[in-house]
Amino acid sequence: MAGVQTAVALREQGFTGTVTLLGAEPHQPYDRPPLSKAVLLGKAEGSAFDVDFEALGIDLELGREVLGVHPGDHRLDTVDGPVPYDVLVLATGAEPIRLAGAEGVPGVHLLRTLDDAERLRPVLARQHDIVVVGAGWIGAEFATAAREAGCAVTVVEAADRPLAGALPAEVAAPMTSWYADAGAVLRTHARVEHIEPGSVVLDDGTRLSADAVVVGIGARPATAWLAGSGIELGAHREVVADDRLRTSVPDVYAVGDCASFPSGRYGERLLVHHWDNALQGPRTVAANIIGETPAVYDPVPYFWSEQFGRFVQYAGHHTTADTVLWRGDPSGPAWTVCWLRENRLAALLAVGRPRDLAQGRRLIEAGTELDPVLLEDPARPLKAAVA
């Protein structure tokens, strides 16, 4: 997404030079969200971007893995030989974290690429017993699809709740019941001891039957290939970019899941592994490469998830908030959580309330002061809670 959007944005903003898009995968560039939904369930054959690369004058080099970069020489090393560049954009995304000891065990899957989804599609079609390791966003979305396909699903999560790495305990707690409501089993405080063909063994000795195992325990920036390049990496091995998405070396930018950036809005460096970041960041990169009107990147982060019949949306960044307010009953089908800092909206999570999300996102961007009492009334539009 980030690479394709950068190439397209360069053309849209008037760049007339050569644009080459290098990708390790052999497939036409594709969108990832449908992989855990329509593609997985056989409702779509693929999710290729509707982009006419030839008409835009973008050279696609597919199946060409990049092995290293030499910024001093403005040169990439690839499996098919060196590639020179004037300006380089790193958009290598993230790669799934693998479960230790599970490599090579038959029936163990990841879900990140089109090939992953195509390997899993017949598993769902055969209605196998499936164990999902990890109750994060991807684990919940895969479990949703597997239940829709008629599979028996058990989700094992090491933490005490789903989405433990993403949301505070009191916000994630209401989501626990969603699994049982959908006919899936959620086992928290459950660590995988090892996986063997046909079963998953937990650290308490429990043995779970598993025709297939899907591992969804997070992702890390795909940056190992940058070793020795001199490009600065951060605590999570992500490329450290500045507020214009420039890296620590000249003529190299980084965008999407592989890069962090400093947020003036939130006063800290953000590493955002979500689709919208890979859509918005490229416009900033293109503007700064062209250089006519330098652009600063400081978005309100946004993402969505479809799980267990619910549409979940999140905007902002909640860690600096000083107040948490609820709109609606979290045991019901539609509710919103608002995080405030000094009576200004810092973030919100909306379940089945897309209007709250749309209005809240604009309020975050504007930094509008709100009345907390008015905000808590779910019958009142968010925008009507302005102080």
Side-chain angles (χ1 to χ4, degrees):
M1 174 61 134
V4 167
Q5 290 299 327
T6 300
V8 171
L10 282 165
R11 290 297 189 229
E12 287 179 344
Q13 295 182 31
F15 182 75
T16 57
T18 301
V19 177
T20 303
L21 193 57
L22 298 171
E25 291 185 71
H27 310 291
Q28 283 289 308
Y30 59 88
D31 206 6
R32 293 191 190 279
L35 299 184
S36 61
K37 305 173 184 72
V39 174
L40 193 60
L41 289 168
K43 297 177 181 179
E45 283 304 307
S47 57
F49 290 114
D50 184 18
V51 174
D52 190 335
F53 294 99
E54 185 176 354
L56 289 172
I58 296 168
D59 299 325
L60 271 184
E61 297 273 354
L62 301 176
R64 189 168 189 178
E65 184 179 2
V66 179
L67 306 174
V69 57
H70 305 275
D73 298 330
H74 282 59
R75 186 184 84 245
L76 291 169
D77 292 334
T78 80
V79 291
D80 299 314
V83 176
Y85 67 85
D86 295 316
V87 177
L88 174 66
V89 180
L90 309 177
T92 48
E95 55 195 5
I97 297 172
R98 298 176 182 271
L99 188 64
E103 289 92 344
V105 178
V108 177
H109 299 264
L110 299 167
L111 180 53
R112 180 76 184 184
T113 68
L114 181 60
D115 289 338
D116 292 337
E118 290 181 343
R119 280 189 288 265
L120 277 164
R121 187 156 56 184
V123 173
L124 267 61
R126 289 193 291 266
Q127 298 186 332
H128 279 176
D129 292 347
I130 296 176
V131 171
V132 180
V133 182
W137 299 113
I138 195 66
E141 291 188 359
F142 177 80
T144 298
R147 286 300 299 138
E148 186 176 333
C151 300
V153 178
T154 300
V155 181
V156 296
E157 169 57 51
D160 61 350
R161 63 188 188 277
L163 295 169
L167 297 173
E170 69 273 18
V171 176
M175 301 175 175
T176 302
S177 64
W178 297 359
Y179 288 78
D181 292 346
V185 176
L186 174 64
R187 296 183 64 120
T188 56
H189 298 287
R191 292 185 177 275
V192 175
E193 180 66 32
H194 67 273
I195 298 176
E196 53 194 53
S199 62
V200 173
V201 181
L202 304 182
D203 61 359
D204 65 359
T206 301
R207 183 178 294 269
L208 304 173
S209 174
D211 297 314
V213 179
V214 176
V215 178
I217 55 175
R220 61 167 61 96
T223 58
W225 67 283
L226 294 174
S229 68
I231 294 172
E232 182 185 355
L233 301 182
H236 301 282
R237 308 304 295 167
E238 86 283 9
V239 179
V240 174
D242 67 9
D243 62 1
R244 295 185 184 177
L245 299 180
R246 300 173 296 194
T247 71
S248 61
V249 302
D251 301 323
V252 180
Y253 294 78
V255 65
D257 289 4
C258 71
S260 66
F261 56 90
S263 170
R265 188 188 312 277
Y266 292 106
E268 60 183 281
R269 180 165 286 275
L270 300 182
L271 175 59
V272 180
H273 279 193
H274 292 296
W275 185 92
D276 192 65
N277 181 49
L279 173 68
Q280 305 294 344
R283 297 167 187 164
T284 298
V285 171
N288 287 322
I289 289 173
I290 294 169
E292 293 177 2
T293 54
V296 168
Y297 191 57
D298 194 9
V300 174
Y302 166 73
F303 70 87
W304 80 95
S305 176
E306 296 176 71
Q307 49 183 270
F308 308 117
R310 293 165 174 85
F311 188 41
V312 183
Q313 296 172 282
Y314 178 97
H317 184 62
H318 65 263
T319 59
T320 60
D322 53 37
T323 305
V324 180
L325 297 177
W326 295 75
R327 288 166 55 82
D329 181 357
S331 65
W335 45 276
T336 296
V337 179
C338 297
W339 286 271
L340 303 180
R341 181 173 175 81
E342 297 175 350
N343 286 342
R344 288 174 169 81
L345 198 60
L348 80 161
L349 177 87
V351 177
R353 293 180 65 99
R355 186 174 298 176
D356 275 6
L357 190 287
Q359 294 180 10
R361 194 175 182 181
R362 289 192 289 268
L363 290 169
I364 296 171
E365 289 171 347
T368 307
E369 187 170 352
L370 303 174
D371 182 328
V373 175
L374 299 178
L375 193 66
E376 283 186 297
D377 181 359
R380 183 186 299 271
L382 257 177
K383 64 183 180 182
V386 175

